[in-house]
């Protein structure tokens, strides 16, 4: 959520910034609500002051033995007015909150303009895409050839966009997850964290998935409802909800492996083949909670940690800065890492690393105590995939294939597979 003071002090700036996202902000409606809020808040405060003053007069009259009934009648009348004013103020504030929760984050100045992914800016590339002397197969064909990747069985058990992995491929995915966790903990200084896979609405509201993206979530039938997590970002970032973090403990760095669940309501007809876009998938997530002045450097660092995994696996990739129209709702700035998939002949997203600045923290009321002022201030939050395990599995399968359809195991993963170097 954006700072309400920014709207009150410089509404033109807010409008200008939101236009970069092609977000239609109803400034007239906001101004109308804000005017009503101010007026009723002043009225409420005046009524409270008058009631307090009358109450003191009653006390004095009672002490002097005077008849206080006329004064009591006046206070009762004021009480009814005050209750009505407080109710009206609460309704206006609810409307203001609803409006503010639907407004995206203001973009960092370094984010390029543009409407969609065509305007994203490539920052760098690492590794050379493999040049095979045979026609490269995609992961679906390779999975069928070596066995253990069954989409029909996934559909039978659940529905389309589910898969069953068995044997060496299931073990390979587990090896990837373990390798990522070990690297981020031992080399990058993250604290491994285990969290619930079900969260309440307050947690999703804190990170920005609710109310705007409810259609993308799987809701569990209970009252109040729970939701299957779309990413570990939600439960892990909520660790600091309503907390004041000690400055000496910052930055907080968490790494967490979870399954993720997404309805993909807005992705009808996209990536229907294979494991690219599933309702259930595995991910190793990186989350950092930092001081505001450190978030820009932390963003580069976190992205570099995700890049390290790709380099160790020797998977060619490129780093892309997302443009205004392609940057997520809560993010101020996002880098995507896109891995080369020879079976498709394209780079595909495998990690998205974002700096949310204080946007999530304001919703979460996540703060740190500044030792210079002694006062609580909002933290900055960041997160990124380090990496998405399913897509990393796809990348390994396609980049390490040979002409016979076998899959050679990357050297760094062999210790996790008992020395197996080829899946066939």
């Amino acid at each position: 959520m954006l700072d309400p003071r920014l709207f009150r002090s410089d509404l033109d700036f807010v409008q200008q910034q939101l236009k970069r996202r092609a977000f239609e902000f109803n400034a007239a409606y906001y101004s109308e609500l804000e005017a009503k809020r101010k007026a009723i808040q002043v009225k409420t405060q005046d009524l409270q002051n008058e009631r307090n003053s009358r109450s003191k007069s009653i006390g004095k009259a009672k002490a002097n033995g005077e008849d206080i009934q006329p004064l009591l009648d006046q206070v009762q009348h004021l009480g009814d007015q005050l209750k009505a004013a407080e109710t009206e103020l609460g309704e206006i504030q609810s409307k203001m909150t609803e409006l503010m929760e639907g407004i995206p984050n203001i973009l960092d100045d370094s984010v390029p303009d543009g409407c969609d992914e065509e305007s994203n800016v490539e920052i760098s590339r690492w590794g050379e895409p493999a040049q095979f002397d045979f026609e490269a197969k995609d992961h679906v064909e390779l999975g069928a050839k070596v066995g253990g990747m069954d989409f029909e069985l996934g559909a039978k058990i659940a529905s389309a966009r589910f898969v069953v992995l068995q044997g060496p491929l299931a073990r390979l995915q587990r090896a990837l997850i373990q390798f990522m966790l070990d690297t981020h903990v031992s080399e990058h200084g993250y604290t491994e964290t285990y969290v619930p896979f079900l969260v309440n609405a307050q947690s999703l509201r804190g990170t920005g998935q609710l109310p705007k993206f409810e259609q993308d979530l799987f809701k569990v039938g209970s009252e109040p409802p729970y939701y299957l997590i779309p990413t570990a970002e939600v439960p892990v970032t909520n660790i600091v909800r309503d907390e004041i973090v000690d400055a000496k403990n910052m930055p907080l760095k968490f790494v967490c492996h979870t399954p993720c669940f997404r309805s993909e309501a807005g992705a009808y007809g996209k990536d229907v083949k294979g494991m690219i876009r599933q309702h259930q998938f595995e991910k190793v997530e990186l989350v950092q909670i930092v001081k505001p002045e450190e978030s820009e450097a932390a963003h580069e660092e976190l992205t570099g940690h995700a890049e390290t995994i790709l380099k160790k696996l020797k998977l060619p990739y490129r780093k892309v800065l997302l443009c205004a129209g392609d940057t997520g709702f809560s993010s101020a700035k996002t880098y995507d890492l896109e891995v080369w998939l020879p079976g498709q002949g394209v780079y595909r997203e495998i990690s998205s690393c974002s700096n949310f600045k204080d946007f999530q923290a304001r919703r979460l009321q996540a703060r740190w105590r500044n030792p210079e002022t002694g006062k609580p201030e909002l933290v900055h939050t960041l997160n990124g995939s380090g990496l998405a395990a399913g897509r990393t599995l796809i990348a390994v399968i396609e980049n390490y294939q040979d002409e016979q359809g076998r899959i050679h195991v990357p050297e760094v993963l062999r210790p996790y597979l008992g020395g197996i170097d080829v899946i066939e």
Side-chain angles (χ1 to χ4, degrees):
M1 185 182 296
L2 297 175
D3 189 345
R5 294 173 298 181
L6 185 59
F7 287 76
R8 295 167 193 160
S9 64
D10 199 344
L11 190 58
D12 289 340
F13 170 78
V14 173
Q15 284 185 278
Q16 180 183 358
Q17 292 299 312
L18 293 178
K19 279 182 180 178
R20 295 187 66 199
R21 288 181 174 268
F23 179 82
E24 295 184 10
F25 173 59
N26 192 335
Y29 177 60
Y30 167 81
S31 298
E32 179 185 346
L33 284 178
E34 178 61 11
K36 287 181 179 178
R37 183 197 65 78
K38 284 182 179 179
I40 195 64
Q41 190 161 347
V42 169
K43 179 181 178 181
T44 301
Q45 290 171 345
D46 289 344
L47 287 169
Q48 287 172 336
N49 292 335
E50 187 174 354
R51 185 182 65 173
N52 293 339
S53 178
R54 294 288 180 89
S55 296
K56 290 179 181 178
S57 298
I58 291 171
K60 290 180 180 179
K62 188 175 182 180
N64 294 331
E66 299 174 10
D67 181 11
I68 62 172
Q69 189 57 49
L71 296 174
L72 290 173
D73 292 341
Q74 291 175 355
V75 171
Q76 177 62 42
H77 179 64
L78 282 173
D80 292 340
Q81 287 183 310
L82 179 58
K83 186 176 181 180
E86 288 173 339
T87 300
E88 186 179 358
L89 180 60
E91 291 172 353
I92 292 172
Q93 287 175 332
S94 294
K95 290 180 180 178
M96 291 286 287
T97 298
E98 182 181 356
L99 175 64
M100 296 294 285
E101 285 184 342
I103 297 173
N105 201 356
I106 287 177
L107 298 165
D108 188 81
D109 291 341
S110 62
V111 173
D113 290 330
C115 299
D116 53 36
E117 61 184 18
E118 296 300 321
S119 297
N120 294 343
V121 177
E122 183 177 307
I123 303 298
S124 61
R125 292 194 182 202
W126 184 91
E128 290 294 329
Q131 300 296 319
F132 298 122
D133 55 5
F134 57 90
E135 185 176 351
K137 301 176 179 65
D138 67 15
H139 69 281
V140 177
E141 188 175 354
L142 289 163
K145 192 168 182 64
V146 301
M149 182 182 290
D150 198 325
F151 297 98
E152 290 184 4
L153 186 53
K156 170 188 169 182
I157 295 171
S159 75
R161 298 200 177 190
F162 287 90
V163 66
V164 173
L165 298 176
Q166 293 182 308
L169 291 185
R171 192 176 179 186
L172 180 58
Q173 177 169 269
R174 177 164 57 86
L176 282 165
I177 293 166
Q178 188 66 55
F179 161 67
M180 294 177 199
L181 289 170
D182 287 349
T183 301
H184 293 312
V185 169
S186 63
E187 297 184 19
H188 301 150
Y190 288 82
T191 299
E192 186 171 352
T193 307
Y194 176 82
V195 293
F197 304 158
L198 288 167
V199 294
N200 54 36
Q202 189 176 0
S203 293
L204 287 156
R205 188 167 284 107
T207 48
Q209 280 79 14
L210 285 181
K212 187 173 178 62
F213 302 106
E214 185 164 10
Q215 66 172 354
D216 294 325
L217 303 170
F218 284 109
K219 184 189 291 189
V220 177
S222 63
E223 191 56 45
Y226 293 103
Y227 297 83
L228 291 168
I229 60 170
T231 165
E233 167 200 344
V234 178
V236 176
T237 309
N238 270 270
I239 289 173
V240 294
R241 170 158 49 98
D242 297 324
E243 299 289 337
I244 299 177
V245 181
D246 194 322
K248 67 183 180 184
N249 295 329
M250 297 178 76
L252 298 177
K253 298 167 66 175
F254 303 106
V255 60
C256 185
H257 160 241
T258 66
C260 305
F261 306 89
R262 298 183 186 177
S263 71
E264 299 291 356
Y268 182 78
K270 291 176 63 178
D271 301 323
V272 294
K273 183 182 179 183
M275 287 180 61
I276 292 291
R277 199 178 294 273
Q278 297 272 285
H279 290 310
Q280 174 185 312
F281 57 96
E282 306 287 307
K283 192 147 64 82
V284 172
E285 192 77 359
L286 305 175
V287 173
Q288 292 198 25
I289 312 296
V290 305
K291 300 172 186 176
E293 64 270 20
E294 297 173 356
S295 69
E296 185 175 345
H299 190 201
E300 300 296 329
E301 176 192 65
L302 183 147
T303 306
H305 294 157
E307 291 182 78
T308 295
I309 301 298
L310 291 166
K311 290 175 180 177
K312 286 178 176 287
L313 290 169
K314 298 181 180 179
L315 294 173
Y317 71 92
R318 65 176 192 161
K319 176 181 175 181
V320 175
L321 174 60
L322 300 193
C323 72
D326 205 28
T327 301
F329 176 84
S330 298
S331 177
K333 181 178 180 179
T334 298
Y335 291 118
D336 271 5
L337 302 180
E338 299 178 350
V339 69
W340 175 253
L341 298 181
Q344 300 179 36
V346 294
Y347 285 95
R348 298 300 299 262
E349 179 202 333
I350 197 168
S351 175
S352 191
C353 302
S354 298
N355 184 357
F356 304 102
K357 298 190 176 180
D358 63 8
F359 186 84
Q360 291 181 329
R362 184 168 287 104
R363 290 171 172 249
L364 296 161
Q365 279 303 289
R367 296 168 291 170
W368 69 294
R369 192 174 300 280
N370 189 330
E372 295 182 4
T373 64
K375 296 180 180 179
E377 299 177 9
L378 294 172
V379 300
H380 279 196
T381 62
L382 306 95
N383 81 269
S385 307
L387 305 163
R391 293 195 177 189
T392 310
L393 177 66
I394 291 169
V396 168
I397 289 173
E398 293 194 10
N399 279 277
Y400 282 85
Q401 64 179 294
D402 65 19
E403 191 171 6
Q404 288 74 43
R406 301 179 303 174
I407 300 161
H408 295 259
V409 177
E411 187 175 349
V412 292
L413 297 181
R414 291 174 190 173
Y416 296 93
L417 289 164
I420 295 174
D421 57 3
V422 177
I423 296 173
E424 54 184 329

